[in-house]
């Protein structure tokens, strides 16, 4: 251990120093990118979460500087704290890749592949995992689990067949509301999310269970089947809310607000507010404020380019926010003296020419007005 109480840990050959007590998963997230293992049940804003799904398994090839023996089994990185000199393998370990494929296969044993009709499609962690590690066929020969339908109230829809029993929604209800009315009933294959005596989930902060659910087991009834997330334009917005931070992401099409969610960070967790507290939002903001006039629009939400949501993303327009001026930003703050539309000025950019019809490399003649490549 160094003087500053920092531990040196190497993950996938990248060394980083982190405070004692940091978990391997958190250290890997500090490195970022693919080095960070996937996490279906751990949620840094929920105390006690993690240790359920095993998607975050990693190989510890060196325990510590003092005891360099490797750990005999793969360990859950969300529940394993770093030791000084520890060496960890995530994507550089064949054992981990193999085990992760096995975990995904187990998670999909009972999970229906109903992504085409699931509201979580496009932002589902299990969908991403299946894409990366899943197999095209199942070895499972039995009927998938079915459940009696439970009505959780007017705002939240439960699809129990999609639940992976990560416990995030239970921790959310425990830690954000004063009286939890749902939980995991029964054990083993019969375990299910339910309210036992058909109570509705109506606490003012209970809507956050929708945001923490990593799959489509808990979805927003006010948004259900209305649109696909990749057709919507996420915009950051806020309002002066007496109950919560009021900082949200609006999911719009045109000027119409389809859905309101908390703002999420790159790990899919609710973002912190400027005062360092998790930006959970209340039910009023989430379910009742569906007019753009209810909100102060801040601008387009940054979406990872890898996300399918980015495919339909834009940076501005529809009268809600001005497109960002980029010229001054890249020109040391100087504004341009004269701006010309290159389509007006250059024949090379004639939009009437069908580029797909040009054979071989193009040259000046290709763009003569008498050319034969017209669209
Ligand atoms: S409903 Fe969602 S958040 Fe709750 S345990 Fe199931 S998968 Fe996890
Ligand atoms: S994220 Fe670590 S066990 Fe689920």
């Amino acid at each position: 251990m160094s003087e500053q109480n920092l531990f040196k840990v190497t993950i996938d050959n990248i060394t980083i120093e982190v405070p004692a007590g940091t978990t391997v998963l958190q250290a890997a997230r500090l490195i970022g990118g693919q080095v960070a293992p996937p996490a279906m049940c751990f949620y840094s804003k929920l105390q006690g979460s993690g240790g359920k799904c095993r998607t975050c398994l990693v190989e510890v090839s060196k325990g510590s500087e003092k005891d360099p023996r490797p750990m005999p089994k793969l360990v859950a990185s969300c529940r394993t704290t770093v030791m000084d000199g520890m060496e960890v393998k995530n994507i550089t370990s064949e054992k981990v890749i193999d085990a992760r494929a096995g975990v995904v296969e187990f998670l999909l044993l009972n999970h229906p592949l109903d992504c085409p009709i699931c509201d979580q499609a496009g932002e589902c962690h299990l969908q991403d995992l299946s894409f990366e590690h899943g197999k095209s066929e199942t070895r499972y020969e039995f009927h998938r689990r079915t459940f009696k339908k439970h009505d959780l109230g007017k705002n939240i829809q439960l699809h129990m067949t999609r639940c992976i029993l990560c416990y995030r929604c239970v921790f959310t209800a425990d830690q954000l509301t004063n009286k939890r009315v749902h939980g995991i009933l029964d054990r083993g294959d019969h375990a299910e999310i339910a309210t036992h005596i058909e109570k509705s989930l109506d606490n003012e902060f209970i809507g956050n269970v929708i945001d923490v659910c990593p799959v489509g087991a808990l979805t927003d009834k006010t948004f259900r089947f209305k649109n696909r997330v990749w057709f919507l334009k996420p915009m950051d917005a806020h309002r002066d809310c007496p109950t919560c931070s009021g900082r949200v992401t609006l999911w719009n099409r045109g000027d119409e607000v389809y859905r309101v969610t908390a703002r999420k960070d790159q790990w899919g967790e609710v973002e912190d507010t400027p005062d360092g507290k998790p930006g959970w939002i209340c039910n009023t903001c989430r379910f009742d404020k569906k007019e753009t006039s209810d909100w102060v629009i801040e601008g387009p939400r940054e979406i990872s380019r890898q996300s399918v949501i980015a495919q339909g993303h834009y940076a501005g327009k529809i009268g809600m926010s001005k497109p960002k001026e980029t010229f001054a930003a890249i020109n040391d703050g100087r504004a341009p003296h004269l701006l010309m539309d290159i389509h007006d000025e250059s024949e090379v950019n004639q939009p009437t020419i069908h580029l797909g019809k040009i054979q071989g490399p193009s040259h000046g003649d290709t763009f003569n007005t008498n050319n034969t490549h017209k669209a």
Side-chain angles (χ1 to χ4, degrees), residues 172 176-177 203-209 243-244 280-283:
T172 305
L176 262 65
T177 71
N203 182 281
E204 187 55 11
F205 276 87
I206 199 68
N208 290 292
V209 295
T243 319
C244 69
W280 306 111
I281 62 170
C282 66
N283 286 4

Side-chain angles (χ1 to χ4, degrees), residues 8 71 150 233 348 375:
K8 215 179 241 183
M71 291 196 182
H150 292 283
K233 316 296 183 193
V348 174

Side-chain angles (χ1 to χ4, degrees), residues 103-366:
V103 170
V104 173
E105 191 176 2
F106 267 111
L107 287 175
L108 292 177
L109 279 191
N110 281 299
H111 189 93
L113 293 181
D114 59 355
C115 311
I117 54 140
C118 177
D119 278 313
Q120 191 86 355
E123 53 186 5
C124 174
H125 298 192
L126 187 54
Q127 194 178 29
D128 294 342
L129 264 185
S130 313
F131 184 72
E132 283 164 33
H133 302 279
K135 303 199 170 69
S136 57
E137 288 171 355
T138 178
R139 291 183 279 170
Y140 195 62
E141 292 174 351
F142 306 98
H143 286 299
R144 293 196 149 99
R145 287 178 310 170
T146 52
F147 296 91
K148 180 177 156 255
K149 278 201 171 143
H150 292 283
D151 185 4
L152 298 186
K154 68 179 170 59
N155 289 325
I156 301 170
Q157 177 70 40
L158 171 67
H159 279 277
M160 189 51 221
T161 49
R162 296 177 188 156
C163 173
I164 60 158
L165 297 170
C166 72
Y167 278 76
R168 281 182 182 180
C169 61
V170 180
F171 287 121
T172 305
D174 259 346
Q175 292 165 33
L176 262 65
T177 71
N178 47 15
K179 204 166 172 219
R180 172 163 67 84
V181 296
H182 85 288
I184 295 186
L185 304 187
D186 292 331
R187 289 287 174 270
D189 211 27
H190 295 282
E192 63 173 321
I193 288 284
T195 55
H196 192 47
I197 35 176
E198 300 303 323
K199 284 195 172 153
S200 62
L201 306 192
D202 52 13
N203 182 281
E204 187 55 11
F205 276 87
I206 199 68
N208 290 292
V209 295
I210 298 168
D211 283 343
V212 301
C213 184
V215 292
L218 294 169
T219 52
D220 179 345
K221 273 190 183 168
T222 66
F223 172 62
R224 240 176 132 224
F225 303 136
K226 292 220 172 112
N227 221 307
R228 310 305 321 215
V229 281
W230 54 87
F231 292 139
L232 301 178
K233 316 296 183 193
M235 308 287 286
D236 278 347
H238 67 266
R239 66 183 274 270
D240 195 9
C241 177
T243 319
C244 69
S245 68
R247 290 161 52 87
V248 303
T249 300
L250 302 182
W251 297 78
N252 292 7
R253 190 147 188 187
D255 279 344
E256 203 177 339
V257 179
Y258 275 78
R259 175 172 85 144
V260 182
T261 63
R263 298 184 190 178
K264 294 196 189 164
D265 63 16
Q266 60 171 318
W267 311 115
E269 297 186 3
V270 57
E271 223 175 61
D272 282 344
T273 55
D275 60 7
K277 293 190 185 139
W280 306 111
I281 62 170
C282 66
N283 286 4
T284 308
C285 285
R286 184 185 301 273
F287 301 120
D288 301 335
K289 300 292 173 190
K290 294 284 181 85
E291 300 290 333
T292 42
S293 55
D294 293 326
W295 298 97
V296 179
I297 310 283
E298 293 170 22
R301 174 102 195 131
E302 292 237 341
I303 297 287
S304 152
R305 282 201 299 149
Q306 277 72 35
S307 166
V308 68
I309 299 170
Q311 303 304 310
H313 198 40
Y314 63 44
K317 300 218 180 104
I318 65 162
M320 292 168 54
S321 65
K322 272 181 70 186
K324 216 165 117 194
E325 283 296 348
T326 48
F327 190 92
I330 57 167
N331 208 28
D332 296 331
R334 278 174 290 141
H337 291 301
L338 182 65
L339 274 182
M340 288 182 292
D341 184 340
I342 196 163
H343 286 283
D344 297 337
E345 304 304 318
S346 165
E347 289 181 352
V348 174
N349 287 288
Q350 288 179 51
T352 50
I353 291 178
H354 194 307
L355 298 179
K357 289 188 180 168
I358 300 172
Q359 303 285 336
S362 58
H363 45 79
D365 289 347
T366 314

Side-chain angles (χ1 to χ4, degrees), residues 38 53-59 73-75 90 93-107 129 133 135:
C53 71
R54 322 307 283 177
T55 50
C56 67
L57 289 179
V58 290
E59 181 182 345
K73 290 181 183 171
L74 302 183
V75 296
N90 176 29
S93 163
E94 273 183 34
K95 272 194 229 167
V96 169
I97 304 296
D98 195 39
R100 206 161 280 155
V103 170
V104 173
E105 191 176 2
F106 267 111
L107 287 175
L129 264 185
H133 302 279
K135 303 199 170 69

